[in-house]
Amino acid sequence: MKLTRKESVKRRHHRVRRKVSGTPERPRLAVFRSNQHIYAQVIDDTKQHTLVAASTLDPEVRSEIKSGGNCDASVQVGQLIAKRCTSSGISQVVFDRGGSPYHGRVKALAEAAREAGLEF
């Protein structure tokens, strides 16, 4: 039986989540990619609490981009999430690509966050 695209992403995400977990010392940077936007959250899985979040829907990012579904928007979100993490005292995270391949927009977000000061 052939899986739909959504089921395949969900299956890959579960496979990633078996190995990746966020702790208070090193929370998880989770990335969700839709067709029109990209979202990033820093999550402490022990408390099940979102510490920091950023997306292409934030006014800071939205004013600088034309479309939320391209690599330029992902770079902006990566820089914003890193800035918010450093201001809240988070320097190291564990990267969770969310079932998406580490390519394109997900890779652009990760590299921008690394350049802006996050370690993973």
Side-chain angles (χ1 to χ4, degrees), residues 6 8 10 13 26 30 37 41 46 49 53 80-81 106 108:
K6 191 171 188 175
S8 297
K10 194 171 190 177
H13 187 86
R26 195 166 175 164
H37 298 286
Q41 295 182 18
T46 58
H49 183 69
L80 180 62
I81 195 83
V106 175

Side-chain angles (χ1 to χ4, degrees), residues 98-110:
S100 302
Y102 186 77
H103 183 265
R105 293 192 284 156
V106 175
K107 184 177 180 181
L109 187 144

